[in-house]
Amino acid sequence: MRTFEKSSKLDNVCYDIRGPVMDEANRMIAQGEKILKLNIGNPAPFGFRAPDAVIEKMKEMLTFTEGYSDSKGLIEARRAIVKYCRQKNMPNVTEEDVYTGNGVSELITLSMQGLLNDGDEVLVPAPDYPLWTASVTLAGGTAVHYICDEESEWYPDLEDMRSKITAKTKAIVVINPNNPTGALYPKEILQGIVDMAREHELILFADEIYDRLVMDGLEHIALASLAPDLLTVSFNGLSKSHLIAGYRCGWMCLCGDKSKAKGYVEGINLLSSMRLCSNVPAQSLIPAALEHLDETKQMLVPGGRIYEQREYITKAISEIPGLSVVKPKAAFYMFPRMDIERFQIEDDETFALDFLREKKILFTHGGGFHWEKPDHFRIVYLPEVGQLQEAATALKDFLAGYVQKKA
């Protein structure tokens, strides 16, 4: 009997939406267990809601957005995105340089498919948002991971990055603010990356979807604003800042000098047309959403919900023997480190599985973000402080007696 196997292109893809830990969580849920999910940046289950004005606008537009739009998106949405790009000092962006998508994830995959041939290399951070590595791999390329340094606020190690550029390198991916670490990169780090890309004639891919979730009075600097003479492909959307992850409303902008990338732009246009268009009702939200940013800002200052949740969980994790964490400055993630000698951890996925089974709390292990050592895991701190207190207490109790069993 003929059987059908998965594509060999998937053999080296690590993308931890599925996997043993998630499968076990789903099995437990199916049996009636209640699981606290600290594994995915989905605001809705924790009581976050989009601004009323944004939802009302979508209701108003619903009957006018029943057909396909232009493959790049509604012109009103793209004009609003161009206006936002100008506010961020992102150069040379017109309506024709903007592509709306069913979330940023779709556009990341599209951007890699349009660029890479077999054997091409792309520099991707470690740890990373794993879709980047997966998309490079599925497009036939090779993701070469440069180190982000925990001892230096999780900033990219520029020397490590430089050492990994070869004749096959086509691009550098920068995730800022960063998922999973919550780091926010200063201008001097970004400028160093731009200088490197300029020297080696590389494309920059800037994943900036958390740019409106910055705390401590700091400012996000758009990578494209430092590179007017380079092609920077910038990604953003409403899922996180406007708390509407399920609406699938993202965009991609081609910024800077596109004169040497005409073929690539043709490829992007072709792929964009092939999927007809993105979610049109969600596109209709964009102009109103980009005029309503104050609600988000209120959550990020002292007394605001995300700020206070960050303050609590950072302190709580730091006080657990055997754990340490760099305080995040943006987004709603942190990436704590475990003392693997203390807990005799050889497999971080096993740690996450053991914790799930005993405490019914779901984390993502560091290996899910292409971090090679089994000494980290990611916490999503979207739950209210009360739930975070329960999680921190459970983690402290679990680790007090935990020694990983050998396979």
Side-chain angles (χ1 to χ4, degrees):
M1 179 181 294
R2 183 179 183 183
T3 60
F4 298 90
E5 302 295 335
K6 70 179 182 181
S7 167
S8 60
K9 289 182 178 180
L10 292 170
D11 288 346
N12 296 316
V13 170
C14 172
Y15 188 55
D16 201 42
I17 293 297
R18 304 296 303 186
V21 182
M22 192 68 230
D23 289 345
E24 178 67 6
N26 287 334
R27 184 194 66 78
M28 294 169 69
I29 292 168
Q31 292 184 345
E33 301 276 12
K34 186 176 180 180
I35 304 296
L36 177 58
K37 294 184 177 180
L38 304 182
N39 67 313
I40 191 167
N42 183 12
F46 302 109
F48 288 96
R49 292 293 178 265
D52 290 341
V54 175
I55 301 303
E56 289 302 317
K57 186 63 176 179
M58 187 172 182
K59 290 178 182 177
E60 175 189 331
M61 294 298 296
L62 195 57
T63 57
F64 301 101
T65 53
E66 295 176 345
Y68 298 129
S69 71
D70 181 272
S71 65
K72 293 182 179 180
L74 295 170
I75 189 63
E76 296 84 357
R78 288 185 282 144
R79 285 173 179 161
I81 293 166
V82 169
K83 179 180 177 181
Y84 183 73
C85 289
R86 289 174 181 160
Q87 292 169 355
K88 300 278 292 186
N89 298 313
M90 298 162 66
N92 195 24
V93 181
T94 71
E95 290 87 349
E96 291 304 305
D97 300 313
V98 176
Y99 302 77
T100 60
N102 297 304
V104 166
S105 297
E106 175 190 48
L107 296 169
I108 289 172
T109 300
L110 186 151
S111 72
M112 293 296 104
Q113 289 176 333
L115 177 67
L116 300 179
N117 295 310
D118 290 351
D120 288 340
E121 296 176 354
V122 177
L123 297 190
V124 178
D128 71 340
Y129 174 53
L131 182 65
W132 278 106
T133 295
S135 295
V136 170
T137 303
L138 289 172
T142 299
V144 178
H145 292 103
Y146 63 86
I147 297 298
C148 295
D149 184 4
E150 186 172 15
E151 300 301 319
S152 298
E153 301 281 345
W154 285 115
Y155 298 157
D157 184 329
L158 298 185
E159 290 308 310
D160 184 66
M161 184 184 292
R162 182 179 296 278
S163 72
K164 291 173 177 174
I165 295 174
T166 72
K168 295 181 180 180
T169 307
K170 279 200 165 181
I172 301 173
V173 173
V174 180
I175 304 173
N176 178 45
N178 186 265
N179 174 13
T181 67
L184 179 71
Y185 302 157
K187 184 176 181 179
E188 57 267 26
I189 292 291
L190 298 175
Q191 188 64 61
I193 295 171
V194 168
D195 292 344
M196 209 177 302
R198 182 177 293 119
E199 178 184 349
H200 295 277
E201 298 183 299
L202 303 177
I203 297 175
L204 291 167
F205 288 93
D207 184 343
E208 299 178 332
I209 194 166
Y210 299 99
D211 72 335
R212 295 179 294 281
L213 291 168
V214 174
M215 289 172 273
D216 304 326
L218 299 172
E219 180 184 1
H220 175 266
I221 299 171
L223 188 64
S225 69
L226 304 177
D229 57 324
L230 304 178
L231 172 59
T232 302
V233 185
S234 180
F235 300 83
N236 214 313
L238 303 180
S239 294
K240 311 301 183 179
S241 64
H242 287 73
L243 312 170
I244 50 175
Y247 285 49
R248 311 311 297 135
C249 189
W251 59 83
M252 175 177 77
C253 302
L254 307 182
C255 314
D257 184 1
K258 296 173 276 287
S259 64
K260 297 179 181 178
K262 293 180 180 179
Y264 178 46
V265 175
E266 289 176 3
I268 292 295
N269 289 337
L270 174 62
L271 290 168
S272 178
S273 297
M274 286 170 63
R275 46 109 215 214
L276 295 180
C277 68
S278 66
N279 182 328
V280 183
Q283 291 180 44
S284 72
L285 287 172
I286 294 174
L290 291 180
E291 295 295 331
H292 288 83
L293 302 179
D294 288 343
E295 290 89 339
T296 301
K297 293 177 182 177
Q298 292 168 8
M299 297 187 294
L300 303 170
V301 296
R305 183 172 164 184
I306 291 177
Y307 179 93
E308 296 300 333
Q309 288 164 191
R310 180 199 64 165
E311 293 297 289
Y312 170 76
I313 196 63
T314 300
K315 184 174 185 292
I317 292 297
S318 299
E319 292 176 349
I320 296 175
L323 295 186
S324 62
V325 67
V326 176
K327 188 175 185 178
K329 294 182 173 66
F332 32 67
Y333 309 109
M334 59 171 46
F335 203 54
R337 176 167 58 183
M338 302 178 286
D339 183 338
I340 56 177
E341 292 185 4
R342 180 189 184 109
F343 305 120
Q344 298 182 32
I345 293 175
E346 296 181 354
D347 186 332
D348 54 349
E349 189 170 52
T350 297
F351 157 75
L353 195 56
D354 291 342
F355 184 61
L356 169 67
R357 286 169 173 160
E358 182 172 325
K359 297 298 185 180
K360 300 180 178 58
I361 298 174
L362 181 60
F363 292 145
T364 302
H365 65 291
F369 303 98
H370 298 100
W371 187 253
E372 291 187 354
K373 296 180 180 179
D375 59 353
H376 282 77
F377 61 97
R378 188 186 72 170
I379 295 176
V380 177
Y381 57 87
L382 282 169
E384 292 183 314
V385 167
Q387 287 182 294
L388 292 176
Q389 288 175 334
E390 294 176 10
T393 300
L395 183 58
K396 182 178 182 179
D397 178 68
F398 175 80
L399 289 175
Y402 184 70
V403 175
Q404 190 170 94
K405 295 178 180 179
K406 307 303 177 185

